[in-house]
PDB file of all heavy atoms in Angstrom:
ATOM      1  N   VAL T   9     -10.651   9.110  40.971  1.00  0.00           N
ATOM      2  CA  VAL T   9     -10.825  10.151  39.964  1.00  0.00           C
ATOM      3  C   VAL T   9     -11.228   9.453  38.668  1.00  0.00           C
ATOM      4  O   VAL T   9     -10.597   8.461  38.284  1.00  0.00           O
ATOM      5  CB  VAL T   9      -9.528  10.957  39.742  1.00  0.00           C
ATOM      6  CG1 VAL T   9      -9.736  11.971  38.607  1.00  0.00           C
ATOM      7  CG2 VAL T   9      -9.210  11.702  41.025  1.00  0.00           C
ATOM      8  N   ASP T  10     -12.276   9.964  38.036  1.00  0.00           N
ATOM      9  CA  ASP T  10     -12.668   9.394  36.747  1.00  0.00           C
ATOM     10  C   ASP T  10     -11.665   9.795  35.683  1.00  0.00           C
ATOM     11  O   ASP T  10     -11.468  10.954  35.418  1.00  0.00           O
ATOM     12  CB  ASP T  10     -14.047   9.937  36.390  1.00  0.00           C
ATOM     13  CG  ASP T  10     -14.584   9.289  35.101  1.00  0.00           C
ATOM     14  OD1 ASP T  10     -13.921   8.389  34.580  1.00  0.00           O
ATOM     15  OD2 ASP T  10     -15.642   9.728  34.653  1.00  0.00           O
ATOM     16  N   ILE T  11     -11.019   8.806  35.092  1.00  0.00           N
ATOM     17  CA  ILE T  11      -9.995   9.144  34.105  1.00  0.00           C
ATOM     18  C   ILE T  11     -10.627   9.491  32.755  1.00  0.00           C
ATOM     19  O   ILE T  11      -9.930   9.943  31.865  1.00  0.00           O
ATOM     20  CB  ILE T  11      -9.016   7.985  33.919  1.00  0.00           C
ATOM     21  CG1 ILE T  11      -9.752   6.770  33.367  1.00  0.00           C
ATOM     22  CG2 ILE T  11      -8.322   7.621  35.175  1.00  0.00           C
ATOM     23  CD1 ILE T  11      -8.849   5.667  32.972  1.00  0.00           C
ATOM     24  N   ASN T  12     -11.932   9.278  32.619  1.00  0.00           N
ATOM     25  CA  ASN T  12     -12.596   9.708  31.380  1.00  0.00           C
ATOM     26  C   ASN T  12     -13.216  11.106  31.560  1.00  0.00           C
ATOM     27  O   ASN T  12     -12.945  12.015  30.786  1.00  0.00           O
ATOM     28  CB  ASN T  12     -13.698   8.722  31.007  1.00  0.00           C
ATOM     29  CG  ASN T  12     -13.128   7.374  30.655  1.00  0.00           C
ATOM     30  OD1 ASN T  12     -12.219   7.296  29.863  1.00  0.00           O
ATOM     31  ND2 ASN T  12     -13.625   6.319  31.292  1.00  0.00           N
ATOM     32  N   GLU T  13     -14.022  11.275  32.547  1.00  0.00           N
ATOM     33  CA  GLU T  13     -14.592  12.563  32.856  1.00  0.00           C
ATOM     34  C   GLU T  13     -14.467  12.818  34.348  1.00  0.00           C
ATOM     35  O   GLU T  13     -14.774  11.939  35.172  1.00  0.00           O
ATOM     36  CB  GLU T  13     -16.082  12.635  32.496  1.00  0.00           C
ATOM     37  CG  GLU T  13     -16.311  12.928  31.020  1.00  0.00           C
ATOM     38  CD  GLU T  13     -16.113  11.699  30.187  1.00  0.00           C
ATOM     39  OE1 GLU T  13     -16.202  10.585  30.746  1.00  0.00           O
ATOM     40  OE2 GLU T  13     -15.829  11.832  29.015  1.00  0.00           O
ATOM     41  N   VAL T  14     -14.012  14.039  34.717  1.00  0.00           N
ATOM     42  CA  VAL T  14     -13.871  14.407  36.110  1.00  0.00           C
ATOM     43  C   VAL T  14     -15.061  15.278  36.507  1.00  0.00           C
ATOM     44  O   VAL T  14     -15.259  16.338  35.910  1.00  0.00           O
ATOM     45  CB  VAL T  14     -12.555  15.166  36.349  1.00  0.00           C
ATOM     46  CG1 VAL T  14     -12.412  15.574  37.806  1.00  0.00           C
ATOM     47  CG2 VAL T  14     -11.383  14.288  35.933  1.00  0.00           C
ATOM     48  N   LEU T  15     -15.865  14.803  37.434  1.00  0.00           N
ATOM     49  CA  LEU T  15     -17.064  15.547  37.830  1.00  0.00           C
ATOM     50  C   LEU T  15     -16.713  16.604  38.857  1.00  0.00           C
ATOM     51  O   LEU T  15     -15.608  16.700  39.359  1.00  0.00           O
ATOM     52  CB  LEU T  15     -18.091  14.561  38.409  1.00  0.00           C
ATOM     53  CG  LEU T  15     -18.624  13.508  37.416  1.00  0.00           C
ATOM     54  CD1 LEU T  15     -19.640  12.622  38.124  1.00  0.00           C
ATOM     55  CD2 LEU T  15     -19.199  14.166  36.204  1.00  0.00           C
ATOM     56  N   HIS T  16     -17.722  17.470  39.146  1.00  0.00           N
ATOM     57  CA  HIS T  16     -17.522  18.508  40.152  1.00  0.00           C
ATOM     58  C   HIS T  16     -17.252  17.880  41.507  1.00  0.00           C
ATOM     59  O   HIS T  16     -17.981  17.001  41.963  1.00  0.00           O
ATOM     60  CB  HIS T  16     -18.780  19.382  40.228  1.00  0.00           C
ATOM     61  CG  HIS T  16     -19.037  20.114  38.938  1.00  0.00           C
ATOM     62  ND1 HIS T  16     -18.406  21.265  38.600  1.00  0.00           N
ATOM     63  CD2 HIS T  16     -19.834  19.802  37.895  1.00  0.00           C
ATOM     64  CE1 HIS T  16     -18.829  21.676  37.429  1.00  0.00           C
ATOM     65  NE2 HIS T  16     -19.697  20.789  36.973  1.00  0.00           N
ATOM     66  N   GLU T  17     -16.237  18.319  42.156  1.00  0.00           N
ATOM     67  CA  GLU T  17     -15.903  17.813  43.480  1.00  0.00           C
ATOM     68  C   GLU T  17     -15.793  18.979  44.485  1.00  0.00           C
ATOM     69  O   GLU T  17     -15.448  20.105  44.106  1.00  0.00           O
ATOM     70  CB  GLU T  17     -14.541  17.048  43.461  1.00  0.00           C
ATOM     71  CG  GLU T  17     -14.579  15.840  42.554  1.00  0.00           C
ATOM     72  CD  GLU T  17     -13.225  15.177  42.549  1.00  0.00           C
ATOM     73  OE1 GLU T  17     -12.324  15.724  43.227  1.00  0.00           O
ATOM     74  OE2 GLU T  17     -13.080  14.150  41.921  1.00  0.00           O
ATOM     75  N   GLU T  18     -16.108  18.657  45.708  1.00  0.00           N
ATOM     76  CA  GLU T  18     -16.010  19.681  46.729  1.00  0.00           C
ATOM     77  C   GLU T  18     -14.552  19.935  47.066  1.00  0.00           C
ATOM     78  O   GLU T  18     -13.728  19.053  47.008  1.00  0.00           O
ATOM     79  CB  GLU T  18     -16.771  19.215  47.983  1.00  0.00           C
ATOM     80  CG  GLU T  18     -18.267  19.027  47.739  1.00  0.00           C
ATOM     81  CD  GLU T  18     -18.953  18.570  48.986  1.00  0.00           C
ATOM     82  OE1 GLU T  18     -18.265  18.381  50.018  1.00  0.00           O
ATOM     83  OE2 GLU T  18     -20.196  18.422  48.979  1.00  0.00           O
ATOM     84  N   GLU T  19     -14.272  21.193  47.413  1.00  0.00           N
ATOM     85  CA  GLU T  19     -12.900  21.563  47.735  1.00  0.00           C
ATOM     86  C   GLU T  19     -12.503  20.956  49.073  1.00  0.00           C
ATOM     87  O   GLU T  19     -13.251  20.966  50.057  1.00  0.00           O
ATOM     88  CB  GLU T  19     -12.779  23.089  47.817  1.00  0.00           C
ATOM     89  CG  GLU T  19     -13.048  23.792  46.498  1.00  0.00           C
ATOM     90  CD  GLU T  19     -12.814  25.290  46.630  1.00  0.00           C
ATOM     91  OE1 GLU T  19     -12.521  25.733  47.743  1.00  0.00           O
ATOM     92  OE2 GLU T  19     -12.918  25.981  45.606  1.00  0.00           O
ATOM     93  N   GLU T  20     -11.318  20.367  49.089  1.00  0.00           N
ATOM     94  CA  GLU T  20     -10.756  19.782  50.290  1.00  0.00           C
ATOM     95  C   GLU T  20      -9.405  20.388  50.586  1.00  0.00           C
ATOM     96  O   GLU T  20      -8.677  20.768  49.666  1.00  0.00           O
ATOM     97  CB  GLU T  20     -10.596  18.257  50.105  1.00  0.00           C
ATOM     98  CG  GLU T  20     -11.914  17.547  49.790  1.00  0.00           C
ATOM     99  CD  GLU T  20     -11.665  16.069  49.559  1.00  0.00           C
ATOM    100  OE1 GLU T  20     -10.480  15.684  49.580  1.00  0.00           O
ATOM    101  OE2 GLU T  20     -12.635  15.356  49.347  1.00  0.00           O
ATOM    102  N   ASP T  21      -9.160  20.526  51.878  1.00  0.00           N
ATOM    103  CA  ASP T  21      -7.901  21.119  52.321  1.00  0.00           C
ATOM    104  C   ASP T  21      -6.885  20.014  52.564  1.00  0.00           C
ATOM    105  O   ASP T  21      -7.046  19.193  53.452  1.00  0.00           O
ATOM    106  CB  ASP T  21      -8.113  21.923  53.631  1.00  0.00           C
ATOM    107  CG  ASP T  21      -9.001  23.115  53.392  1.00  0.00           C
ATOM    108  OD1 ASP T  21      -8.980  23.646  52.257  1.00  0.00           O
ATOM    109  OD2 ASP T  21      -9.699  23.522  54.338  1.00  0.00           O
ATOM    110  N   HIS T  22      -5.842  20.039  51.730  1.00  0.00           N
ATOM    111  CA  HIS T  22      -4.726  19.131  51.891  1.00  0.00           C
ATOM    112  C   HIS T  22      -3.458  19.941  51.861  1.00  0.00           C
ATOM    113  O   HIS T  22      -3.130  20.529  50.842  1.00  0.00           O
ATOM    114  CB  HIS T  22      -4.724  18.062  50.790  1.00  0.00           C
ATOM    115  CG  HIS T  22      -5.949  17.199  50.770  1.00  0.00           C
ATOM    116  ND1 HIS T  22      -6.151  16.162  51.673  1.00  0.00           N
ATOM    117  CD2 HIS T  22      -7.052  17.249  49.978  1.00  0.00           C
ATOM    118  CE1 HIS T  22      -7.300  15.593  51.417  1.00  0.00           C
ATOM    119  NE2 HIS T  22      -7.868  16.240  50.379  1.00  0.00           N
ATOM    120  N   LYS T  23      -2.786  20.012  52.964  1.00  0.00           N
ATOM    121  CA  LYS T  23      -1.587  20.829  53.046  1.00  0.00           C
ATOM    122  C   LYS T  23      -0.508  20.339  52.091  1.00  0.00           C
ATOM    123  O   LYS T  23       0.230  21.130  51.526  1.00  0.00           O
ATOM    124  CB  LYS T  23      -1.072  20.841  54.493  1.00  0.00           C
ATOM    125  CG  LYS T  23      -2.026  21.492  55.452  1.00  0.00           C
ATOM    126  CD  LYS T  23      -1.447  21.502  56.862  1.00  0.00           C
ATOM    127  CE  LYS T  23      -2.393  22.171  57.849  1.00  0.00           C
ATOM    128  NZ  LYS T  23      -1.827  22.197  59.211  1.00  0.00           N
ATOM    129  N   GLU T  24      -0.404  19.010  51.952  1.00  0.00           N
ATOM    130  CA  GLU T  24       0.640  18.459  51.096  1.00  0.00           C
ATOM    131  C   GLU T  24       0.396  18.849  49.640  1.00  0.00           C
ATOM    132  O   GLU T  24       1.348  19.107  48.884  1.00  0.00           O
ATOM    133  CB  GLU T  24       0.715  16.952  51.244  1.00  0.00           C
ATOM    134  CG  GLU T  24       1.108  16.501  52.605  1.00  0.00           C
ATOM    135  CD  GLU T  24       1.199  14.983  52.696  1.00  0.00           C
ATOM    136  OE1 GLU T  24       0.845  14.354  51.691  1.00  0.00           O
ATOM    137  OE2 GLU T  24       1.567  14.489  53.764  1.00  0.00           O
ATOM    138  N   GLU T  25      -0.864  18.875  49.204  1.00  0.00           N
ATOM    139  CA  GLU T  25      -1.174  19.229  47.824  1.00  0.00           C
ATOM    140  C   GLU T  25      -1.032  20.739  47.607  1.00  0.00           C
ATOM    141  O   GLU T  25      -0.620  21.178  46.540  1.00  0.00           O
ATOM    142  CB  GLU T  25      -2.598  18.800  47.477  1.00  0.00           C
ATOM    143  CG  GLU T  25      -2.767  17.278  47.438  1.00  0.00           C
ATOM    144  CD  GLU T  25      -4.195  16.884  47.118  1.00  0.00           C
ATOM    145  OE1 GLU T  25      -5.026  17.825  46.994  1.00  0.00           O
ATOM    146  OE2 GLU T  25      -4.464  15.690  46.998  1.00  0.00           O
ATOM    147  N   ASN T  26      -1.380  21.548  48.617  1.00  0.00           N
ATOM    148  CA  ASN T  26      -1.260  22.998  48.499  1.00  0.00           C
ATOM    149  C   ASN T  26       0.175  23.429  48.342  1.00  0.00           C
ATOM    150  O   ASN T  26       0.455  24.497  47.769  1.00  0.00           O
ATOM    151  CB  ASN T  26      -1.918  23.692  49.678  1.00  0.00           C
ATOM    152  CG  ASN T  26      -3.444  23.564  49.634  1.00  0.00           C
ATOM    153  OD1 ASN T  26      -3.996  23.345  48.564  1.00  0.00           O
ATOM    154  ND2 ASN T  26      -4.099  23.704  50.774  1.00  0.00           N
ATOM    155  N   SER T  27       1.088  22.659  48.844  1.00  0.00           N
ATOM    156  CA  SER T  27       2.488  23.038  48.720  1.00  0.00           C
ATOM    157  C   SER T  27       2.989  22.952  47.320  1.00  0.00           C
ATOM    158  O   SER T  27       3.966  23.585  46.960  1.00  0.00           O
ATOM    159  CB  SER T  27       3.345  22.142  49.620  1.00  0.00           C
ATOM    160  OG  SER T  27       3.208  20.790  49.209  1.00  0.00           O
ATOM    161  N   ASN T  28       2.293  22.166  46.434  1.00  0.00           N
ATOM    162  CA  ASN T  28       2.710  22.004  45.043  1.00  0.00           C
ATOM    163  C   ASN T  28       1.968  22.933  44.109  1.00  0.00           C
ATOM    164  O   ASN T  28       2.150  22.851  42.889  1.00  0.00           O
ATOM    165  CB  ASN T  28       2.492  20.548  44.598  1.00  0.00           C
ATOM    166  CG  ASN T  28       3.337  19.578  45.388  1.00  0.00           C
ATOM    167  OD1 ASN T  28       4.434  19.922  45.788  1.00  0.00           O
ATOM    168  ND2 ASN T  28       2.809  18.375  45.607  1.00  0.00           N
ATOM    169  N   ILE T  29       1.119  23.798  44.646  1.00  0.00           N
ATOM    170  CA  ILE T  29       0.282  24.656  43.799  1.00  0.00           C
ATOM    171  C   ILE T  29       0.879  26.041  43.770  1.00  0.00           C
ATOM    172  O   ILE T  29       1.260  26.602  44.808  1.00  0.00           O
ATOM    173  CB  ILE T  29      -1.165  24.733  44.353  1.00  0.00           C
ATOM    174  CG1 ILE T  29      -1.765  23.315  44.330  1.00  0.00           C
ATOM    175  CG2 ILE T  29      -1.988  25.694  43.531  1.00  0.00           C
ATOM    176  CD1 ILE T  29      -3.118  23.269  44.969  1.00  0.00           C
ATOM    177  N   THR T  30       0.997  26.641  42.621  1.00  0.00           N
ATOM    178  CA  THR T  30       1.578  27.976  42.442  1.00  0.00           C
ATOM    179  C   THR T  30       0.477  28.963  42.100  1.00  0.00           C
ATOM    180  O   THR T  30      -0.484  28.607  41.420  1.00  0.00           O
ATOM    181  CB  THR T  30       2.620  27.959  41.336  1.00  0.00           C
ATOM    182  OG1 THR T  30       2.022  27.511  40.152  1.00  0.00           O
ATOM    183  CG2 THR T  30       3.797  27.036  41.679  1.00  0.00           C
ATOM    184  N   MET T  31       0.666  30.234  42.574  1.00  0.00           N
ATOM    185  CA  MET T  31      -0.318  31.267  42.333  1.00  0.00           C
ATOM    186  C   MET T  31       0.320  32.384  41.556  1.00  0.00           C
ATOM    187  O   MET T  31       1.502  32.671  41.695  1.00  0.00           O
ATOM    188  CB  MET T  31      -0.870  31.781  43.679  1.00  0.00           C
ATOM    189  CG  MET T  31      -1.603  30.703  44.516  1.00  0.00           C
ATOM    190  SD  MET T  31      -2.204  31.359  46.085  1.00  0.00           S
ATOM    191  CE  MET T  31      -3.210  32.690  45.531  1.00  0.00           C
ATOM    192  N   ASN T  32      -0.493  33.022  40.762  1.00  0.00           N
ATOM    193  CA  ASN T  32      -0.032  34.172  39.979  1.00  0.00           C
ATOM    194  C   ASN T  32      -0.966  35.346  40.338  1.00  0.00           C
ATOM    195  O   ASN T  32      -2.044  35.504  39.802  1.00  0.00           O
ATOM    196  CB  ASN T  32      -0.104  33.868  38.487  1.00  0.00           C
ATOM    197  CG  ASN T  32       0.574  34.935  37.678  1.00  0.00           C
ATOM    198  OD1 ASN T  32       0.962  35.979  38.185  1.00  0.00           O
ATOM    199  ND2 ASN T  32       0.708  34.693  36.370  1.00  0.00           N
ATOM    200  N   ALA T  33      -0.486  36.163  41.289  1.00  0.00           N
ATOM    201  CA  ALA T  33      -1.363  37.242  41.786  1.00  0.00           C
ATOM    202  C   ALA T  33      -1.311  38.485  40.922  1.00  0.00           C
ATOM    203  O   ALA T  33      -2.115  39.369  41.066  1.00  0.00           O
ATOM    204  CB  ALA T  33      -0.937  37.611  43.223  1.00  0.00           C
ATOM    205  N   ASP T  34      -0.323  38.582  40.015  1.00  0.00           N
ATOM    206  CA  ASP T  34      -0.205  39.783  39.178  1.00  0.00           C
ATOM    207  C   ASP T  34      -1.281  39.859  38.098  1.00  0.00           C
ATOM    208  O   ASP T  34      -1.627  40.938  37.645  1.00  0.00           O
ATOM    209  CB  ASP T  34       1.184  39.823  38.542  1.00  0.00           C
ATOM    210  CG  ASP T  34       2.266  39.936  39.605  1.00  0.00           C
ATOM    211  OD1 ASP T  34       1.972  40.436  40.708  1.00  0.00           O
ATOM    212  OD2 ASP T  34       3.414  39.477  39.305  1.00  0.00           O
ATOM    213  N   LYS T  35      -1.773  38.699  37.647  1.00  0.00           N
ATOM    214  CA  LYS T  35      -2.762  38.691  36.547  1.00  0.00           C
ATOM    215  C   LYS T  35      -4.144  38.768  37.103  1.00  0.00           C
ATOM    216  O   LYS T  35      -4.390  38.537  38.290  1.00  0.00           O
ATOM    217  CB  LYS T  35      -2.571  37.415  35.725  1.00  0.00           C
ATOM    218  CG  LYS T  35      -1.199  37.364  35.042  1.00  0.00           C
ATOM    219  CD  LYS T  35      -1.099  36.119  34.187  1.00  0.00           C
ATOM    220  CE  LYS T  35       0.249  36.085  33.502  1.00  0.00           C
ATOM    221  NZ  LYS T  35       0.387  34.890  32.656  1.00  0.00           N
TER     222      LYS T  35
END
Side-chain angles (χ1 to χ4, degrees):
V9 176
D10 184 5
I11 63 172
N12 296 309
E13 277 79 22
V14 179
L15 296 180
H16 296 278
E17 299 178 358
E18 297 180 359
E19 296 184 356
E20 300 177 358
D21 294 330
H22 298 282
K23 296 182 180 180
E24 295 181 357
E25 293 179 356
N26 288 338
S27 61
N28 297 327
I29 298 175
T30 58
M31 298 179 57
N32 190 352
D34 297 335
K35 296 183 179 180

